[in-house]
Amino acid sequence: MNLTGGALIRARRRDTDCMLSADDIDPSAPLAAEGVVGAGDPQTVGWFRFWFADERWEWSDEVAEMFGYRPGTVTPTTELLLSHQHPEDRERVEAAIVTSVRDHAPFSSRHRIIDTAGREHPVIVVSDSVTDENDKVIGTLGYYVDITDAMATHRDELLEELLPTVIEQRATIEQAKGVLMLGYGLTAEQAFRVLVWRSQTTNLKLRDLAAQLIADLGTLPAADIGLRTRLDHVLLTGHNRITTE
């Protein structure tokens, strides 16, 4: 079954248990994706794919044009993409890409790119995992959305359509990280690595594993009085340790 861009996103919202497989990706996705945010200039939305094994990028003509290139004249690479990031955003975007490659995870971002003519484009990037026939994550498929003022009429429709699910899933993962941080004395990065390890070991999606962990908290006995007392102290005195410039 092949899914075009708009249908793909809507299918994801109807069935969040369905992870994309490589066979689900239709190269015609960019034009269909435009329907997600309404009619308008084709450069408003474009798709990209990133394959983890060889760190290879693919992008649609629409994304090439966002960056200021004529379609088919340049091959996207990580170095090329980073060279177009706004100086204030480059480090954050690079870190997101490094994390995605390391953890085989999709990434989402809101940042600014500078096209070949020097024009600034604020963009939203949303993506999801791509799996092979054995449900192994092999890449990510996503969309660049130009949200410059000229695209403002499409912005609210995009946010309403695409971002709630992404935000909800991330919130669940962050909650699960917090549980592990408290329970095992881990840092946020260490807690995330534990979740990734369990996801890979059990062959379950990270968000599903996180959601089950949060659901199972209700079956555990209440924290012992010592832990609650220490939390009381942190909660009631934390304001005294906040320094202001």
Side-chain angles (χ1 to χ4, degrees):
M1 176 181 65
N2 286 334
L3 298 177
T4 58
L8 181 151
I9 292 294
R10 285 187 284 274
R12 291 286 306 157
R13 293 185 67 202
R14 287 195 301 267
D15 183 4
T16 55
D17 290 333
C18 176
M19 186 177 287
L20 300 174
S21 72
D23 293 336
D24 290 330
I25 303 172
D26 189 335
S28 65
L31 294 180
E34 186 179 327
V36 176
V37 294
D41 294 337
Q43 294 81 9
T44 304
V45 181
W47 59 263
F48 72 91
R49 292 190 286 253
F50 182 61
W51 306 104
F52 295 131
D54 53 2
E55 298 187 21
R56 176 170 49 89
W57 293 87
E58 300 173 4
W59 64 12
S60 67
D61 293 348
E62 292 78 14
V63 175
E65 291 175 347
M66 282 184 202
F67 283 79
Y69 296 103
R70 293 181 59 186
T73 61
V74 66
T75 299
T77 64
T78 299
E79 292 74 18
L80 179 68
L81 293 174
L82 290 176
S83 73
H84 283 278
Q85 304 308 312
H86 189 283
E88 295 178 1
D89 297 341
R90 176 176 174 133
E91 184 176 350
R92 176 166 55 85
V93 174
E94 184 173 11
I97 294 174
V98 169
T99 300
S100 178
V101 173
R102 182 190 66 200
D103 298 329
H104 283 197
F107 61 92
S108 302
S109 176
R110 179 170 180 167
H111 58 271
R112 294 159 290 179
I113 62 174
I114 309 297
D115 67 20
T116 56
R119 294 183 296 261
E120 181 179 310
H121 298 258
V123 297
I124 291 176
V125 179
V126 294
S127 66
D128 201 355
S129 299
V130 176
T131 63
D132 62 15
E133 64 276 8
N134 297 316
D135 289 331
K136 178 182 178 181
V137 176
I138 59 174
T140 184
L141 163 69
Y143 297 94
Y144 270 84
V145 184
D146 191 326
I147 55 170
T148 57
D149 290 341
M151 309 302 177
T153 56
H154 304 314
R155 186 180 311 166
D156 291 343
E157 295 177 33
L158 169 75
L159 296 176
E160 181 179 352
E161 182 75 16
L162 297 182
L163 294 189
T165 299
V166 173
I167 292 172
E168 180 181 357
Q169 292 169 358
R170 287 204 164 190
T172 300
I173 292 173
E174 291 301 314
Q175 291 172 11
K177 284 168 55 179
V179 170
L180 296 179
M181 290 168 66
L182 177 63
Y184 295 105
L186 305 177
T187 65
E189 182 176 356
Q190 289 169 336
F192 182 71
R193 284 183 174 275
V194 170
L195 289 173
V196 170
W197 162 63
R198 291 303 299 152
S199 173
Q200 294 173 343
T201 301
T202 60
N203 199 29
L204 292 172
K205 291 186 284 293
L206 183 63
R207 61 175 177 268
D208 293 341
L209 197 65
Q212 188 60 50
L213 175 61
I214 297 303
D216 287 343
L217 288 180
T219 67
L220 300 179
D224 65 76
I225 188 65
L227 175 59
R228 290 203 301 270
T229 299
R230 292 192 293 273
L231 284 176
D232 287 346
H233 176 74
V234 171
L235 177 64
L236 297 176
T237 65
H239 63 283
N240 295 322
R241 293 182 291 278
I242 297 175
T243 57
T244 57
E245 297 180 358

